[in-house]
Amino acid sequence: MSSLAGLSSPWTVDVRGLSRSCHAEALFEAFDKLRPGDAMIAVTDHAPRKLFHHLEANHKGQFEWSPLESGPATWRTEVTRREAVPGTLRSIHEALEWDHDRLDARLEAAFGAREREELARAGELFAEFALGLRRHIRFEEELLFPAFEAHTGQPPHTGPTGVMRAEHREIEALLEALAEAASLPGQAAEVLREDLVRILGWHNQKEEGVLYPQIDESVGDIEKDALIGRFQAS
Ligand SMILES: [Fe+2]
Ligand SMILES: [Fe+2]
């Protein structure tokens, strides 16, 4: 078993060879063996909905759920155990700051693989990073920002969320350019990465320092927890 930081040797629980009736049990047991801070990667040949619903029902607030690959043949999902009593409500700042840090670590791991000239591995890690960042942005724009705007009356295009939306477009353009460059030799990827890290750094700082605390203040505890539940389910 390894922590999130141990990207090169995560504990992989591959249940693709097991029958449908056995795979869910195997994943539930694997989660029970995790200590707080430990992570596992569940590898399945279908979306692991049973595991997700089991964790929601029995370990609410005690896990992070991060898709790394979403089909069509293989699903890989990183599940991290949190130090929390069952039923702990989540808030926006802590949950999304954790996801920012997770994504930063994955981007760094992708470029670490490039430095070791493992270009195929760099491409895989970058794809995991891009999947996670696109999911994060989608959640913010489709669910989180609209909830904040509804509570505060802030306009979606000119207020603080409008600035974040515009920055998301810049981030997505860099993600697209990097998708190809990440697994190719040459300096193009490093130049694009510098731009991405700079924009993402400012962006995340503004969200963590200003916007997320404002959202935590303006949205009720149950609604915030439900929003994070929908983020995890996405
Ligand atoms: Fe954002
Ligand atoms: Fe964010």
Side-chain angles (χ1 to χ4, degrees), residues 62-231:
Q62 292 186 301
F63 68 97
E64 300 285 6
W65 183 269
S66 311
L68 303 178
E69 184 178 348
S70 294
T74 302
W75 280 254
R76 289 184 307 118
T77 310
E78 186 170 62
V79 183
T80 305
R81 186 157 194 146
R82 300 182 70 236
E83 175 85 74
V85 294
T88 299
L89 295 180
R90 307 297 305 271
S91 67
I92 303 304
H93 190 172
E94 59 84 9
L96 294 190
E97 184 176 32
W98 185 89
D99 201 49
H100 286 168
D101 291 346
R102 176 185 82 84
L103 293 167
D104 287 347
R106 229 153 192 99
L107 181 62
E108 205 177 309
F111 278 80
R114 281 184 65 83
E115 276 166 31
R116 297 190 302 277
E117 297 183 4
E118 298 168 9
L119 293 179
R121 179 67 183 140
E124 285 166 15
L125 285 163
F126 185 81
E128 294 172 1
F129 162 75
L131 180 90
L133 186 52
R134 288 200 165 96
R135 166 188 182 239
H136 184 108
I137 287 173
R138 199 165 52 241
F139 166 70
E140 289 182 339
E141 295 199 13
E142 292 178 7
L143 296 170
L144 183 66
F145 295 171
F148 172 70
E149 289 151 8
H151 278 277
T152 59
Q154 292 274 3
H157 299 298
T158 52
T161 50
V163 177
M164 296 297 106
R165 283 187 170 94
E167 290 180 2
H168 286 165
R169 300 293 80 77
E170 287 182 62
I171 290 165
E172 283 170 343
L174 285 165
L175 272 184
E176 204 161 310
L178 259 165
E180 212 173 309
S183 56
L184 295 175
Q187 284 303 300
E190 272 68 18
V191 173
L192 290 165
R193 179 208 186 181
E194 266 180 40
D195 289 346
L196 180 60
V197 166
R198 193 177 55 248
I199 292 176
L200 209 48
W202 292 335
H203 181 82
N204 291 352
Q205 230 173 23
K206 281 182 276 189
E207 287 184 341
E208 291 170 22
V210 182
L211 185 59
Y212 294 164
Q214 284 181 2
I215 298 175
D216 274 330
E217 255 191 60
S218 54
V219 180
D221 290 347
I222 302 292
E223 187 179 349
K224 283 185 289 196
D225 184 66
L227 280 165
I228 294 304
R230 291 183 71 183
F231 172 55

